[in-house]
Amino acid sequence: MNNILLYSGAILTIFSYLWFIVLYIMGRRYKTKDNSLELILKREGSSSINVIKSPDSIFSKYNTVRSMIKLSDKSYDKSDLFSVTVSYILSGYAVLKDKFFIISKVFRNVRIISFLPIVSVGIAFICNSRVDSMIGLVGLVVILIYLYMIDDINNNLIDNSKIDNNIILCTKKVIIINKLFFISTLIFSIKMLISIFM
């Protein structure tokens, strides 16, 4: 049973990252009418959104402490679907900044996709004994809480702004990918519980 949970969680995590890579590749090819900065200005509550270009960063992110969007070179002022979707999601985070109160105490930056599921996979594969599983379960619970809070915020991302339908569809796919990360981490947590009590 433990091996089934271990491998199903790992497969789900790998599938989610592969799906995100496909979204990235396909999204870079499709052009939208607005660029990433214009889309942020169209967002409801955009007057309070701070955006800067972050040339040293590979990934665009939302800084929870300073309530600032840091767009990478590949996304700043670009009009491909992926860049515009990134701007849409991060601007949604900026509008919903009050919901980041707890997250900002632990995580300074939030990206549209988390790398914590990779840590979950590592924990699940390393922890095999009862004592290891107890320690691993603590780490997985922290990751689960973070992923749950991000999922809750993501469920409020799409607002009534007049945005291209393709951007909304791409955003919904990113939200689903983050839900799959939560599910895979939950599977790993169940695996740990079984290891502890059996």
Side-chain angles (χ1 to χ4, degrees):
M1 180 67 171
N2 270 357
N3 284 341
I4 292 170
L5 290 171
L6 180 65
Y7 292 118
S8 62
I11 289 167
L12 187 59
T13 303
I14 291 166
F15 168 78
S16 301
Y17 280 114
L18 289 175
W19 188 11
F20 184 76
I21 290 167
V22 169
L23 274 180
Y24 173 81
I25 293 167
M26 300 301 287
R28 287 286 183 201
R29 294 180 181 172
Y30 182 82
K31 299 295 178 193
T32 61
K33 60 180 180 177
D34 296 322
N35 68 34
S36 54
L37 295 176
E38 291 169 342
L39 179 115
I40 291 171
L41 292 173
K42 283 186 172 182
R43 184 113 204 189
E44 289 181 7
S46 64
S47 58
S48 63
I49 298 176
N50 299 315
V51 184
I52 63 165
K53 186 176 186 178
S54 183
D56 58 329
S57 182
I58 298 170
F59 302 103
S60 297
K61 56 197 165 207
Y62 172 66
N63 186 298
T64 59
V65 177
R66 301 172 81 191
S67 298
M68 180 182 293
I69 298 170
K70 295 181 176 182
L71 292 176
S72 67
D73 269 341
K74 290 186 175 182
S75 294
Y76 190 84
D77 199 24
K78 302 289 190 267
S79 61
D80 60 272
L81 179 61
F82 185 80
S83 296
V84 175
T85 301
V86 168
S87 293
Y88 183 72
I89 293 171
L90 294 179
S91 64
Y93 289 167
V95 170
L96 300 167
K97 62 185 172 191
D98 295 338
K99 290 190 174 253
F100 282 96
F101 177 73
I102 296 171
I103 293 175
S104 66
K105 302 296 180 195
V106 181
F107 298 97
R108 185 182 177 103
N109 295 306
V110 177
R111 293 166 185 84
I112 67 163
I113 195 155
S114 177
F115 294 104
L116 288 175
I118 295 170
V119 176
S120 298
V121 172
I123 291 171
F125 274 93
I126 291 170
C127 299
N128 292 315
S129 71
R130 177 177 277 180
V131 175
D132 289 346
S133 295
M134 284 191 231
I135 296 167
L137 184 61
V138 172
L140 288 175
V141 167
V142 170
I143 293 170
L144 267 176
I145 291 168
Y146 171 80
L147 291 174
Y148 177 79
M149 287 192 286
I150 290 295
D151 183 55
D152 182 51
I153 293 166
N154 284 345
N155 289 330
N156 297 303
L157 275 179
I158 299 170
D159 60 13
N160 296 326
S161 303
K162 293 181 179 175
I163 305 296
D164 186 346
N165 230 13
N166 291 317
I167 299 165
I168 300 296
L169 287 173
C170 197
T171 300
K172 286 180 178 177
K173 289 174 185 173
V174 172
I175 292 170
I176 291 169
I177 289 169
N178 281 302
K179 281 184 194 299
L180 293 177
F181 287 147
F182 175 80
I183 293 168
S184 67
T185 306
L186 186 61
I187 290 169
F188 293 138
S189 300
I190 293 167
K191 181 243 183 214
M192 296 293 172
L193 282 171
I194 290 171
S195 296
I196 292 168
F197 294 112
M198 293 188 103

